[in-house]
Amino acid sequence: MPTWSEPQDLKTWMVQGLSLRGMVLLLSVLAILISEVRFSWVEVLVGRYLAVTNSHRPESGSVWEQGRLKQVATQTLEQMVTQQITAQREAREASSLSQLIDGLTASQGAMISAAQFKTLYSQIPEAVAWTLFSPVLMLRISAEKSWDRVYMERENGQVGIYLLDRGNNVLSYTTLNEQQLKSTGTEPHIKAGTLDGQPEFAGRIYPADRFFMALDTLSPETQRGVLSHPGTLLAAQGTPVRVGVSDEVNADMIRIGIEMDTPQGRQIVLAVGQEWAVWQVRMLLEPRLSKPPSSKMRWPLRREDR
């Protein structure tokens, strides 16, 4: 019987390799290799072993931790990009300044074009518009072709508005506090409930037919001062039942609440009117009111002929 010692020459090597023991060893190795290629039993056994011993191994290593952090960072970045794209699309599609501001969050601002901001600016009452930016200033920077975009952000209960040029340099800046946000109509335009549940209208609630009948007797200029955007009220569902006038004056503006009888129940449509115009309607509804609570009556200015 041949030994398994190292062959000393080629003849001895061939004799040992072609022997029965050598052939059995060669066939065994080939069988193992073929079965692994066909059934992948080595990978299956290794996988089962890793699964069984998984709880006894460290939860993370440097390689796995780096991979996990990379995956988390990628997902976070994708979410931020998606949120930014969504916010920008909603900002471009906003039909009013109040809708645009309502969409702002503490962590997400909005960038719009100067043309869009001018359109939204022109829709708010004139008295409120002057508290934001001077129209003359906006016309000047537009004529100088330096105004390109507007950035808006919400922070600490206020809204900051920046007029920017193409290099993102600030041309003008203003902030809106809570009271100014109310006067610009940035609170929800429609609230569920009745005027009785709103303390600011207590003692100044009138039947809707009487209110609008009195308003109809006044001049068109006064009517526009009371309801600067009547289309919002006409587009609301339901029938006007009662009208409430707020007791708070902010920037010469007074909030008005119109209680509507809708299929979903009573709802309140909020609007803002100029103080001098609203007071004229109140004097018709309450003849005992001979003058406004303030010492200075605010009447519309008339243009002098030159």
Side-chain angles (χ1 to χ4, degrees):
M1 180 180 295
T3 62
W4 289 102
S5 59
E6 181 181 0
Q8 299 297 324
D9 51 32
L10 180 59
K11 180 179 179 181
T12 305
W13 183 89
M14 293 182 63
V15 169
Q16 293 183 0
L18 296 177
S19 64
L20 178 61
R21 182 178 297 180
M23 294 299 296
V24 170
L25 179 62
L26 178 62
L27 292 176
S28 300
V29 172
L30 289 177
I32 293 174
L33 292 177
I34 294 173
S35 63
E36 160 60 19
V37 174
R38 177 64 179 83
F39 302 105
S40 301
W41 56 271
V42 174
E43 289 84 349
V44 174
L45 291 177
V46 172
R48 290 179 179 176
Y49 170 79
L50 294 176
V52 171
T53 60
N54 184 59
S55 59
H56 304 290
R57 294 195 306 273
E59 293 184 359
S60 62
S62 59
V63 176
W64 290 271
E65 183 66 15
Q66 291 178 4
R68 186 187 68 83
L69 293 177
K70 181 179 180 181
Q71 183 178 9
V72 172
T74 302
Q75 293 175 350
T76 303
L77 182 60
E78 291 177 351
Q79 293 177 356
M80 293 175 60
V81 172
T82 302
Q83 293 175 356
Q84 180 70 22
I85 294 175
T86 302
Q88 288 299 120
R89 184 182 69 252
E90 293 177 350
R92 289 192 298 268
E93 295 175 352
S95 58
S96 65
L97 184 62
S98 62
Q99 181 181 354
L100 176 58
I101 294 179
D102 287 340
L104 298 177
T105 63
S107 60
Q108 190 71 53
M111 184 81 73
I112 62 174
S113 65
Q116 181 182 0
F117 181 79
K118 286 188 288 186
T119 300
L120 302 180
Y121 176 91
S122 64
Q123 296 175 357
I124 62 178
E126 183 177 354
V128 178
W130 276 89
T131 65
L132 301 182
F133 295 102
S134 166
V136 178
L137 167 68
M138 297 171 62
L139 290 172
R140 177 179 65 81
I141 60 179
S142 296
E144 293 173 350
K145 299 181 180 180
S146 58
W147 184 20
D148 184 68
R149 66 195 73 180
V150 176
Y151 179 73
M152 306 177 67
E153 64 176 358
R154 187 186 295 273
E155 183 178 3
N156 298 328
Q158 296 184 336
V159 173
I161 304 179
Y162 302 81
L163 307 186
L164 308 174
D165 62 10
R166 291 181 178 84
N168 287 332
N169 298 310
V170 179
L171 302 175
S172 187
Y173 165 75
T174 188
T175 58
L176 300 179
N177 55 34
E178 183 177 355
Q179 292 297 325
Q180 289 174 315
L181 291 175
K182 291 181 180 180
S183 66
T184 55
T186 56
E187 288 191 325
H189 292 294
I190 299 179
K191 290 184 177 181
T194 64
L195 292 173
D196 298 324
Q198 304 294 323
E200 64 176 308
F201 300 118
R204 290 164 302 280
I205 300 176
Y206 312 95
D209 55 349
R210 285 188 56 207
F211 182 89
F212 291 112
M213 184 181 298
L215 182 60
D216 192 39
T217 63
L218 299 175
S219 66
E221 183 179 14
T222 304
Q223 295 176 8
R224 288 191 295 269
V226 176
L227 295 176
S228 57
H229 301 293
T232 302
L233 181 58
L234 293 174
Q237 294 183 348
T239 305
V241 178
R242 296 188 299 173
V243 179
V245 178
S246 175
D247 61 343
E248 299 179 0
V249 179
N250 182 54
D252 298 338
M253 305 298 293
I254 297 180
R255 285 216 301 176
I256 301 173
I258 300 93
E259 184 177 327
M260 308 286 290
D261 186 10
T262 70
Q264 293 78 26
R266 293 295 177 93
Q267 295 180 346
I268 302 174
V269 179
L270 298 176
V272 290
Q274 299 184 34
E275 181 188 10
W276 64 268
V278 176
W279 192 262
Q280 292 192 46
V281 181
R282 289 197 62 196
M283 285 192 297
L284 293 178
L285 296 172
E286 303 180 58
R288 62 182 178 82
L289 299 176
S290 57
K291 60 181 180 179
S294 59
S295 59
K296 182 180 179 181
M297 188 69 173
R298 296 179 175 87
W299 300 100
L301 299 177
R302 294 184 178 180
R303 182 181 299 174
E304 298 179 358
D305 296 334
R306 297 184 178 180

